[in-house]
Amino acid sequence: MKRYALYGEKSRTLLTFMGRVLVHDNKAELEYLTVGAKAVECPSDIPEGQTFPLRLHPNLTTVEWPLRKESFR
C-alpha cells in the first residue's frame, strides 16, 4: 500500500507530528485536508515506526474516515 506524506511549501521538508512523518493512504484526502502543503509519496526509506497516521492526529479525532466532503460544509 502506498503512503503519502505532507511536504511543507515553506519548510521544504516532510511535515511531522511528535517527530514522526505524517502519512495517509489516500492522496486526494490528504490534499483536501491541507493548505500550505502538498501530498507526495512517502519515501520508502522511512520506516513505518517513524510515521504517524493522519487519522490518529489529535486535531482530527472528530473526522470520520473515509472522508465525505459533505461533512465539511
Side-chain angles (χ1 to χ4, degrees), residues 47-64:
E48 192 77 30
Q50 291 181 6
T51 64
F52 191 90
L54 187 67
R55 70 181 65 230
L56 300 180
H57 193 287
N59 291 350
L60 298 174
T61 57
T62 61
V63 175
E64 292 182 39

Side-chain angles (χ1 to χ4, degrees), residues 31-55:
E31 290 175 339
Y32 181 78
L33 286 172
T34 59
V35 175
K38 69 177 188 175
V40 296
E41 193 167 337
C42 187
S44 58
D45 63 343
I46 297 178
E48 192 77 30
Q50 291 181 6
T51 64
F52 191 90
L54 187 67
R55 70 181 65 230

Side-chain angles (χ1 to χ4, degrees), residues 2-4 7-8 17 22 28-30 32 37 40-41 51 65:
K2 286 190 179 184
R3 301 176 300 170
Y4 297 94
Y7 181 81
F17 178 73
L22 286 166
E29 286 184 350
L30 191 55
Y32 181 78
V40 296
E41 193 167 337
T51 64
W65 304 90

Side-chain angles (χ1 to χ4, degrees), residues 2-36:
K2 286 190 179 184
R3 301 176 300 170
Y4 297 94
L6 291 171
Y7 181 81
E9 294 174 2
K10 290 185 180 181
S11 67
R12 299 186 185 270
T13 61
L14 295 177
L15 302 185
T16 62
F17 178 73
M18 296 176 31
R20 295 165 59 193
V21 177
L22 286 166
V23 295
H24 190 54
D25 62 355
N26 185 307
K27 184 177 182 178
E29 286 184 350
L30 191 55
E31 290 175 339
Y32 181 78
L33 286 172
T34 59
V35 175

